[in-house]
Amino acid sequence: MRTQIRFLMLSAVLALGFSATASAQSREFTIRNDGGSRIQFISDAPLETITGVSSHVTGTVNVNPNDLSSASGTVQVRVASIRTGVDLRDEHLRGDGWLDAQAHPNATFEITRIEGASRLTPNETTRVRIHGRFSIHGVTRDIVANARVRLIPLNDELRAARITGDVIRAQASFRVQLTDYDVSVPLPVRLKVSNEIRVNVTIRAVASNG
């Protein structure tokens, strides 16, 4: 009888330990090119404000909702997919005098660490600062983005939208200088194109394991 009790107690301890280990593991969330994510580039120059937008966003985010310190991931957008509302301007933007989409097809943001909060509470918005490396035009620089992140557990509404796993929604913004990325604004257009670009990112990432 005592042997059976010891065995049951040991089994319970092992089960609890396994559960704790599993909950401490990071989960992979996938950013799919399905229109649920969006990147916006804003140039606010003295004579003109130009907004470039793309929904061609992909990537993965690895995060343990109970320990954000271990978060990592990559978000990327195809440069050739950016649209500003003027076809000729889009063509110039993709050209080798600007972002050179042929040689450098993707703009990429690599997450290196998160600060400002230690965990995500389901269905609550959490404000954080995301440290990472932003790459465009073949140049990579360290940046910090202010962000709002929300973890949405799988529910009937998500299932109705044909989403099969928990969702992370994030909105982040940061600023870059074009000259930091070896992009020079020609003198004739400096009143219409700002050297400082505001980048706004909205992502929807779905847990790969459902």
Side-chain angles (χ1 to χ4, degrees):
M1 184 65 178
R2 291 180 178 177
T3 301
Q4 289 180 328
I5 292 175
R6 291 194 189 99
F7 177 77
L8 291 173
M9 291 178 65
L10 178 61
S11 298
V13 169
L14 290 174
L16 287 171
F18 176 80
S19 177
T21 301
S23 66
Q25 294 177 346
S26 292
R27 301 173 62 194
E28 183 177 87
F29 292 76
T30 302
I31 304 165
R32 300 166 182 163
N33 182 25
D34 57 6
S37 301
R38 183 172 182 264
I39 292 183
Q40 181 185 62
F41 301 86
I42 301 174
S43 162
D44 189 11
L47 295 185
E48 189 173 356
T49 298
I50 300 171
T51 301
V53 177
S54 175
S55 295
H56 194 113
V57 183
T58 58
T60 57
V61 178
N62 295 287
V63 60
N64 173 4
N66 293 316
D67 180 15
L68 293 181
S69 66
S70 62
S72 62
T74 301
V75 181
Q76 65 180 17
V77 58
R78 288 187 61 81
V79 171
S81 69
I82 300 171
R83 296 291 181 267
T84 67
V86 178
D87 291 343
L88 182 59
R89 185 165 59 202
D90 295 345
E91 184 178 341
H92 289 163
L93 181 68
R94 296 190 293 268
D96 56 12
W98 288 87
L99 297 184
D100 198 355
Q102 184 172 355
H104 311 289
N106 295 318
T108 304
F109 178 46
E110 179 188 358
I111 300 168
T112 55
R113 67 185 176 92
I114 294 177
E115 66 178 12
S118 60
R119 64 189 302 272
L120 296 177
T121 300
N123 296 314
E124 291 188 10
T125 298
T126 301
R127 293 183 180 271
V128 297
R129 287 166 58 84
I130 302 177
H131 292 252
R133 291 186 286 266
F134 182 66
S135 302
I136 197 168
H137 197 231
V139 179
T140 301
R141 300 283 186 185
D142 292 336
I143 64 96
V144 180
N146 293 313
R148 294 178 296 170
V149 184
R150 187 180 184 192
L151 172 65
I152 308 170
L154 182 63
N155 55 38
D156 290 341
E157 292 180 350
L158 291 177
R159 293 188 183 93
R162 298 184 179 179
I163 295 175
T164 58
D166 296 350
V167 171
I168 284 182
R169 288 277 294 169
Q171 294 175 303
S173 63
F174 56 95
R175 297 177 185 271
V176 299
Q177 305 291 321
L178 290 178
T179 48
D180 287 343
Y181 294 86
D182 294 342
V183 179
S184 298
V185 180
L187 184 60
V189 297
R190 287 181 184 174
L191 291 177
K192 293 185 176 182
V193 179
S194 174
N195 183 53
E196 182 178 85
I197 304 297
R198 180 180 177 90
V199 184
N200 297 323
V201 182
T202 299
I203 67 165
R204 179 179 71 194
V206 181
S208 301
N209 60 359

